[in-house]
Amino acid sequence: PGGQFIGRGDYNDFVRGWYTVVGLTIMTNMLANVVSPPLQEFMSAMVLPALKRWWKTRGTKVEKMAQPELEELYTNEAFDISTRYSALVMTVFVTMTYSSGLPLLNAAACMFMVATFWLDKIVLLRFSKRPPYYDTLMTKISLQYMIYSVPVHCIFAILMYGQACTFPSQPPGQQISSYTSQG
């Protein structure tokens, strides 16, 4: 699935035009990824519950509500760790794949990880239910996926740096003869 789209674009290789069109799109999406998931998490964990509580208690006094109503009103949402892992794996994989030609992806990934760490810490400790006990299976699976990003990074680095427009050079024979003729 999706294989019919590979190699069908305007660029056959990592030429200069690819960096200005596709590379800029990837970079823009990754910078948006730095802002949008933490902002969504902030809204769903901190702002929306407060608005929900305000909406449900706007006409009644909290002192007159029954215990089950109060528990339902003030119980926080569960901490969704699987979504956090999937966003982390996606960020690492995209960064490792294209960072050879787009080095600012490393900074975007760093900003994403710092923002995610601090916001997850705040949300987990202050605005979430007590999470269930997790084993290490999700972490191991995520690390297994991330390991595949290393050979993909190497392959894409060879493809990106192998372009004549990226690193123009003379064939090895001409380069040696030019050095010997200089004497």
Side-chain angles (χ1 to χ4, degrees):
Q4 69 269 19
F5 300 115
I6 296 175
R8 302 269 192 241
D10 295 336
Y11 304 102
N12 298 350
D13 220 337
F14 296 107
V15 294
R16 285 187 185 148
W18 183 91
Y19 289 101
T20 57
V21 176
V22 181
L24 183 63
T25 304
I26 291 170
M27 191 65 210
T28 304
N29 283 332
M30 289 302 286
L31 286 173
N33 190 41
V34 169
V35 176
S36 65
L39 186 62
Q40 177 187 3
E41 187 177 330
F42 173 78
M43 292 296 290
S44 66
M46 298 177 211
V47 175
L48 290 178
L51 287 174
K52 181 178 128 183
R53 283 191 283 274
W54 173 80
W55 183 260
K56 288 192 175 185
T57 60
R58 62 183 155 67
T60 61
K61 291 191 175 188
V62 177
E63 295 88 18
K64 293 184 178 182
M65 294 178 82
Q67 184 66 32
E69 292 172 321
L70 288 171
E71 285 178 3
E72 190 241 321
L73 189 61
Y74 286 98
T75 300
N76 293 324
E77 296 291 322
F79 186 76
D80 186 19
I81 196 166
S82 61
T83 304
R84 273 49 167 216
Y85 268 111
S86 63
L88 178 67
V89 170
M90 183 274 306
T91 301
V92 167
F93 216 94
V94 170
T95 301
M96 289 291 286
T97 301
Y98 296 110
S99 65
S100 298
L102 304 169
L104 285 177
L105 283 177
N106 294 319
C110 181
M111 288 187 293
F112 169 79
M113 290 177 197
V114 167
T116 301
F117 171 79
W118 284 106
L119 203 59
D120 280 353
K121 184 176 180 177
I122 293 167
V123 168
L124 180 63
L125 295 177
R126 300 283 182 214
F127 299 102
S128 294
K129 282 185 195 176
R130 180 179 224 160
Y133 291 105
Y134 291 107
D135 60 358
T136 59
L137 182 66
M138 197 178 314
T139 306
K140 288 178 182 177
I141 290 172
S142 297
L143 287 175
Q144 285 174 349
Y145 283 129
M146 286 185 212
I147 290 294
Y148 291 117
S149 69
V150 175
V152 169
H153 172 75
C154 293
I155 291 168
F156 273 72
I158 290 169
L159 293 173
M160 288 176 170
Y161 294 150
Q163 284 299 313
C165 67
T166 306
F167 287 110
S169 62
Q170 298 174 352
Q174 285 180 348
Q175 207 168 17
I176 294 172
S177 64
S178 68
Y179 289 135
T180 57
S181 65
Q182 289 176 358

